[in-house]
Amino acid sequence: MPAFSATAPGKTILFGEHAVVYNRAAIAAPVEQVRAKVYITPNPPGKPGNLKIDAPDIALDCDFDTLPKTNAIRSIIENAGVEFNIEHFPSAHIRIKSTIPIAAGLGSGAAISVALIRALASFLGRQIPDERISALAYEAEKIHHGTPSGIDNTVVTYAQPIYFCKGTAKTKKTNVELLLVGAPISLVVADSGVASPTVQAVAGVRQRWQENPHLYDKIFDNIDEIVDLARRTIESGKARDLGPLMSENQVQLQAIEVSNRQLDYLIQAAMSAGAQGAKLSGAGCGGNLIALATPDTAPGISQALLEAGAVNTIITTIQPTNKGGVL
Ligand code: PMV
């Protein structure tokens, strides 16, 4: 029996993480070099609803109905069943593979969710619009993250650079725009090697925000302004000018205590090797950082990061786009 398959990329947050949880804007882009892939092989003799899940990268090898109710993969399959209006999926073997590091700020949970929803749709021969894929993946993000902004599932679903702002209590509606990118942006993404579950970093920020709302709201506003400037800089194709904005965003992230010694050290190493700016990316407290490079400087920055202790680096380019606009 042929397998039905689907794939989704990793992602990086260029500007605005954490503040985005508090209704400020953020900018994110896909990282195509790392991906989640899902293969579904039908098992016709099996009973409907009999699904075998095999996900070696997250140490899962079990029958669907043995997964706890709180498991994100279980929740995706159940919610997809509701979406497609079926009681049980036909029996199948679901294999989930991912090269995206886990708990590292590269969107591995969202990518697995999006690839799984697309593969399930294909298995049933059904169409599902991107908006619904993102909404279903968002439900799983709640299990991974507690109070997600929705940026991860959105950028991974659309696989294009986005400008994202969660609706406020007043506006309700989330503003998602495809970002116009005026010129290529070269980045080195580096893994600090410290696993950092997003749920913990986000909960820590929330606790400190509750203790000191004035200070934290001011910092979130500062980040919001940086995002606005970054957006205009990206649109006008002045990639070099993003460096100081990234470094300023990092200062604000240090102020909300989501950077750490290892990230600060690696960021310094990237700057010494010629990066135009650098910051942590994602939840922080570990995970990945991004350094702004050029095609010429990227290999040297990558090498310097590895020598300074990064466990892995990815050289990636955000390609120009010719269409922006509200999604
Ligand atoms: O999943 P991560 O580690 O890339 O973090 C997501 C970004 C946060 O702003 C920290 C959380 C969120 O839901 O937006």
Side-chain angles (χ1 to χ4, degrees), residues 259-278:
S259 197
N260 63 15
R261 295 239 310 259
Q262 176 71 350
L263 284 166
D264 290 345
Y265 180 70
L266 290 172
I267 286 170
Q268 194 45 54
M271 296 301 287
S272 302
Q276 292 148 357

Side-chain angles (χ1 to χ4, degrees), residues 27 44 170 268:
I27 293 171
K170 240 194 237 162
Q268 194 45 54

Side-chain angles (χ1 to χ4, degrees), residues 6-326:
T7 173
K11 70 99 219 314
T12 182
I13 298 190
L14 298 178
F15 294 95
E17 50 276 273
H18 287 291
V20 69
V21 176
Y22 299 82
N23 308 102
R24 274 59 166 200
I27 293 171
V31 177
E32 300 285 350
Q33 286 91 337
V34 284
R35 305 193 72 86
K37 286 187 188 165
V38 174
Y39 307 86
I40 303 183
T41 310
N43 175 33
K47 276 206 215 128
N50 191 333
L51 300 173
K52 182 157 172 30
I53 320 276
D54 167 23
D57 305 303
I58 48 173
L60 205 63
D61 184 5
C62 63
D63 288 329
F64 165 74
D65 51 16
T66 63
L67 287 170
K69 290 261 179 245
T70 50
N71 181 279
I73 289 173
R74 181 181 183 123
S75 114
I76 292 161
I77 294 173
E78 283 176 349
N79 287 337
V82 174
E83 179 78 16
F84 298 125
N85 203 12
I86 55 163
E87 204 171 323
H88 297 294
F89 281 92
S91 180
H93 179 182
I94 300 178
R95 183 165 176 82
I96 301 171
K97 290 284 296 162
S98 176
T99 55
I100 308 172
I102 292 161
L106 291 183
S108 89
I112 288 175
S113 300
V114 169
L116 179 54
I117 297 160
R118 287 208 171 110
L120 288 168
S122 157
F123 174 43
L124 294 178
R126 306 280 275 271
Q127 299 290 327
I128 176 166
D130 283 343
E131 202 182 327
R132 290 302 306 152
I133 293 173
S134 185
L136 290 180
Y138 180 65
E139 293 306 311
E141 287 293 282
K142 288 185 192 163
I143 296 175
H144 290 300
H145 287 194
T147 54
S149 62
I151 191 168
D152 279 19
N153 48 285
T154 306
V155 66
V156 166
T157 299
Y158 291 95
Q160 292 193 61
I162 59 160
Y163 172 89
F164 179 97
C165 189
K166 191 169 85 157
T168 59
K170 240 194 237 162
T171 62
K172 295 274 195 294
K173 197 166 158 24
T174 300
N175 177 24
V176 187
E177 296 180 38
L178 290 183
L179 195 61
L180 192 71
V181 179
I185 302 169
S186 293
L187 293 175
V188 181
V189 183
D191 191 341
S192 69
V194 181
S196 168
T198 301
V199 66
Q200 282 171 20
V202 169
V205 172
R206 184 164 298 275
Q207 193 190 336
R208 294 189 288 281
W209 171 68
Q210 281 162 348
E211 285 161 9
N212 208 339
H214 285 305
L215 174 66
Y216 270 61
D217 278 327
K218 175 79 187 88
I219 297 171
F220 296 149
D221 285 341
N222 294 343
I223 295 176
D224 199 41
E225 272 176 41
I226 294 168
V227 172
D228 190 48
L229 285 170
R231 178 198 177 140
R232 281 186 268 151
T233 307
I234 292 170
E235 285 173 345
S236 59
K238 295 187 185 135
R240 286 186 71 87
D241 295 351
L242 289 173
L245 295 173
M246 273 188 187
S247 297
E248 183 49 37
N249 195 160
Q250 172 64 14
V251 170
Q252 305 297 323
L253 290 164
Q254 285 167 331
I256 59 169
E257 298 180 38
V258 291
S259 197
N260 63 15
R261 295 239 310 259
Q262 176 71 350
L263 284 166
D264 290 345
Y265 180 70
L266 290 172
I267 286 170
Q268 194 45 54
M271 296 301 287
S272 302
Q276 292 148 357
K279 62 181 275 294
L280 68 84
S281 179
C285 306
N288 274 269
L289 63 99
I290 51 173
L292 185 67
T294 64
D296 289 343
T297 60
I301 294 169
S302 164
Q303 187 57 34
L305 281 162
L306 291 168
E307 281 164 17
V311 295
N312 189 34
T313 59
I314 301 166
I315 296 178
T316 187
T317 303
I318 301 173
Q319 297 297 347
T321 57
N322 52 19
K323 209 174 113 222
V326 177

